[in-house]
Amino acid sequence: MQTANVNRLTPYLFLAPAGIIMAVALLYPIGYMIYASFLDWNPSQRIGEAEFIGLRNYLNLLGDAAFRESFWVTLKFAAIVVTVEMLLGVGLALLLDRNIRGMSLLRTLFILPMMIAPVVVGLMWRYMYHPTVGIFNRTLKSLGLEPIPWLSDGNWAFASVIIADIWQWTPFIFILSLAALQSLPQSAMEASRIDGATGWQQIIHIKLPLMMPVLIVTLLLRLIDAFKVLEVILVLTNGGPGLSTEILSLRISRTASEFRELGEAAAMSNVLLILLMILTFAMFAYSKAVEIRTARLRAAAEETAI
Amino acid sequence: MSTQTYERQNPAFYALLVALIVMAIGPILMMLMTSLKLNVDIMSDTSSLIFMPTIRNYETALCDFLWYEAPHIDFCDKTFGRALVNSLIIALVSTALTLILGCMAAYALVRFRFMGRDTVSLTTLVMRMVPPAVLLVPVFGIWTFQFQIDGTRAGIILVYVAMNLPFVIWILQSFIVQVPIQLEEAARMDGAGPFGVFFLVVLPLIKPGLAAAAIFTFRVAWNEFLLANALADRNSRTVPVTIVNSMTEFDIDWGVIMATGMLLAIPPILFTFAASRQIITGMTAGAVKG
């Protein structure tokens, strides 16, 4: 009887360590953060000593021009980088989806920017944007042009941060769309070729619609990650000049460490989390919907076959 | 057509390929080059391609590991060397722990089916979405006041393991599903217990999955800055934290900082070349298979 007991307990034994760690170090902190967002709390206090102030942190955020600014900067940043990266990544994938030598090398080299520490990416770009010895201003100078204040002017700094992000993350979209392209059914491609479709027609009427499910998931994944960007911007500009590149994550970490307002930082974290939660559920709902649709189509196809 | 024959393409395509490769690795090469230059060369106005390579910057960064005396170092700053040791310990231990725990959990979820796959993939997605910045406040508070493990390597390892577990469980699940159950039944017939079946039969069969999971976990633990910065004290700082700290100094020593950046970048670069296939599998698994 004892072995039966052991067998019944096995799944729990296997699952328990991971479950306990995630509960203690992931779920508990998130719950704690939600609670802390209702407190007036600074880092020298234990949480029990902090005063409960209800929704005041959230109301403060609404009235805080700097927070609204950084919320707006975050949205702008995410929208621009994701749009540009999608266009470039999908475009390159469509262009390079051929059986050519060097493709696997290209893919390997393309992953490098994503694997390297974001801190190091920031470091490299900060050097390249250097006002005098950076490669961009050096090139401009040797062409006899005016140097550009890459990181010291608000608008240029925003553009610089976007360029660095595009360099780092376009490969992600490229690799996912290339994988999607290569898993498309060959029969559809051949059928359209026989019907005399040109390259463009093939792309617009066949490839893109068939890739759409993957593209939408890719877009949402990238969008979620775009809201999480922090280190590259921290190293490049530290949010400045002014608030021009201060995205939400950076604002949270500064509110916590420089302004020592843990409650308000927690409230900001909550806003960011809710935003991302909406995106995540959109993504999950979408992939479920696609799954159900394909299942129904397959069932219908099987019925007609019989 | 076999995969070994290639279509002949317009030369413009090769030009585009080369341009893309240059763009992708140009900044990395530039960092490598800068790290091999003396500060005089970095700041000089002349061409940046021709210079005498030197390993002085690396000697300065790694001065406490040198077995010889480098003549140009008058004062050895041990910060970076200590951070490198911390980073290695933290990244390796958290990768090993995540893999062991993640594997066991994934196996239980697949074989004993108590939660649907949907629950697990939804949890993974939700956890993937949580930005480290959101964990910053609560983790700092809890680690400092309740667990009192702030400033220790163990504290940092605990966060990293928890952060990585959902993804690891999810990716390993998709590999374990493919292990034929007959193999396990046969082993059980021969008298292996559940743990024996797991360690002797299942684990060896999912090595590719383990490799992908290991690389992703190591990468997060090795590269992470924000939480390490909040939790570490002087003795447990990791390399990204020291790099950011030295960036905020007024007079940036570009040569040395590029050398430290290069040292931080080397392990991920090596992994990429050794296992690009597994990395791409891990990356695409989420989106393409759904």
Side-chain angles (χ1 to χ4, degrees), chain A residues 148-159:
Chain A
I148 290 175
W150 291 106
L151 299 175
S152 46
D153 171 86
N155 290 329
W156 277 112
F158 191 67

Side-chain angles (χ1 to χ4, degrees), chain B residues 2-289:
Chain B
S2 88
T3 48
Q4 286 308 309
T5 60
Y6 295 97
E7 295 164 28
R8 284 188 66 79
Q9 296 290 345
N10 192 328
F13 270 102
Y14 291 101
L16 179 70
L17 271 186
V18 171
L20 285 175
I21 290 177
V22 169
M23 268 196 261
I25 61 170
I28 302 171
L29 286 181
M30 189 157 298
M31 174 168 71
L32 178 64
M33 265 168 34
T34 314
S35 74
L36 295 173
K37 281 184 193 173
L38 293 176
N39 274 338
V40 190
D41 288 327
I42 296 175
M43 292 301 164
S44 79
D45 273 338
T46 49
S47 160
S48 54
L49 277 173
I50 304 149
F51 63 95
M52 262 307 283
T54 165
I55 57 162
R56 275 198 188 183
N57 294 321
Y58 290 91
E59 285 175 335
T60 313
L62 296 171
C63 59
D64 44 341
F65 300 125
L66 290 183
W67 57 94
Y68 55 92
E69 292 248 339
H72 63 96
I73 305 173
D74 356 301
F75 167 71
C76 178
D77 183 3
K78 291 198 166 64
T79 323
F80 180 76
R82 203 162 41 204
L84 195 62
V85 174
N86 284 331
S87 267
L88 274 175
I89 295 177
I90 289 173
L92 290 176
V93 173
S94 54
T95 307
L97 277 177
T98 315
L99 279 192
I100 297 170
L101 302 182
C103 240
M104 287 165 61
Y107 180 68
L109 286 173
V110 173
R111 279 295 177 252
F112 304 102
R113 32 182 113 243
F114 43 146
M115 277 190 286
R117 257 183 85 71
D118 277 358
T119 326
V120 181
S121 26
L122 183 62
T123 325
T124 320
L125 261 180
V126 170
M127 288 308 162
R128 186 187 160 133
M129 140 208 119
V130 176
V134 167
L135 288 175
L136 177 70
V137 175
V139 163
F140 172 79
I142 296 171
W143 266 230
T144 312
F145 295 123
Q146 298 187 343
F147 301 166
Q148 312 208 321
I149 46 171
D150 59 310
T152 62
R153 293 183 194 133
I156 301 176
I157 290 171
L158 179 62
V159 189
Y160 288 167
V161 172
M163 263 169 50
N164 279 315
L165 267 176
F167 179 74
V168 167
I169 293 177
W170 177 70
I171 191 136
L172 287 179
Q173 238 191 347
S174 63
F175 281 88
I176 294 178
V177 168
Q178 293 163 14
V179 174
I181 189 124
Q182 288 84 352
L183 271 181
E184 291 178 42
E185 276 159 7
R188 214 163 287 137
M189 292 293 200
D190 293 344
F195 286 88
V197 171
F198 174 68
F199 284 104
L200 300 175
V201 180
V202 178
L203 273 194
L205 285 173
I206 54 166
K207 271 187 200 143
L210 288 175
I215 290 173
F216 277 92
T217 320
F218 183 87
R219 169 176 153 257
V220 172
W222 180 254
N223 293 348
E224 209 277 336
F225 159 75
L226 191 66
L227 293 168
N229 186 41
L231 293 177
D233 64 7
R234 265 186 79 243
N235 293 315
S236 51
R237 259 180 216 155
T238 57
V239 179
V241 179
T242 57
I243 289 183
V244 173
N245 284 347
S246 47
M247 290 299 285
T248 53
E249 279 163 24
F250 177 68
D251 189 20
I252 298 175
D253 187 346
W254 281 108
V256 175
I257 209 170
M258 286 303 202
T260 55
M262 204 59 218
L263 288 170
L264 187 64
I266 284 172
I269 292 177
L270 290 181
F271 284 139
T272 310
F273 281 109
S276 62
R277 192 175 298 270
Q278 276 85 350
I279 295 173
I280 291 174
T281 313
M283 226 175 255
T284 49
V288 181
K289 277 186 216 146

Side-chain angles (χ1 to χ4, degrees), chain A residues 180 184-185 188-189 203 205-215:
Chain A
L184 293 185
M189 239 45 89
I203 289 174
H205 296 295
I206 298 174
K207 287 183 184 168
L208 283 181
L210 282 175
M211 282 162 78
M212 208 35 91
V214 178
L215 288 188

Side-chain angles (χ1 to χ4, degrees), chain A residues 264-285:
Chain A
E264 212 173 305
M268 277 181 210
S269 310
N270 252 341
V271 172
L272 181 60
L273 202 57
I274 289 168
L275 197 68
L276 289 174
M277 194 98 78
I278 294 170
L279 285 175
T280 309
F281 279 105
M283 178 161 146
F284 193 71

Side-chain angles (χ1 to χ4, degrees), chain A residues 42-157:
Chain A
N42 76 56
S44 54
Q45 286 171 310
R46 308 182 122 255
I47 196 163
E49 299 160 9
E51 194 193 345
F52 189 86
I53 54 166
L55 286 172
R56 210 182 313 151
N57 282 327
Y58 292 92
L59 293 176
N60 283 349
L61 285 190
L62 277 180
D64 182 359
F67 172 75
R68 281 203 309 259
E69 176 69 23
S70 85
F71 194 77
W72 170 236
V73 168
T74 312
L75 290 184
K76 213 164 51 167
F77 174 81
I80 296 178
V81 295
V82 172
T83 316
V84 176
E85 285 165 13
M86 283 304 283
L87 290 177
L88 279 179
V90 176
L92 282 177
L94 287 170
L95 201 59
L96 295 176
D97 175 30
R98 302 158 192 245
N99 191 11
I100 42 179
R101 207 179 284 272
M103 207 50 217
S104 63
L105 177 69
L106 180 76
R107 269 198 301 189
T108 307
L109 293 178
F110 255 32
I111 319 175
L112 284 177
M114 289 180 270
M115 299 298 287
I116 293 179
V119 167
V120 176
V121 172
L123 186 66
M124 298 187 300
W125 283 86
R126 175 131 171 217
Y127 178 67
M128 292 198 291
Y129 286 136
H130 193 284
T132 52
V133 297
I135 178 138
F136 295 125
N137 275 357
R138 252 195 193 161
T139 316
L140 287 174
K141 204 171 139 201
S142 65
L143 294 173
L145 298 168
E146 278 292 296
I148 290 175
W150 291 106
L151 299 175
S152 46
D153 171 86
N155 290 329
W156 277 112

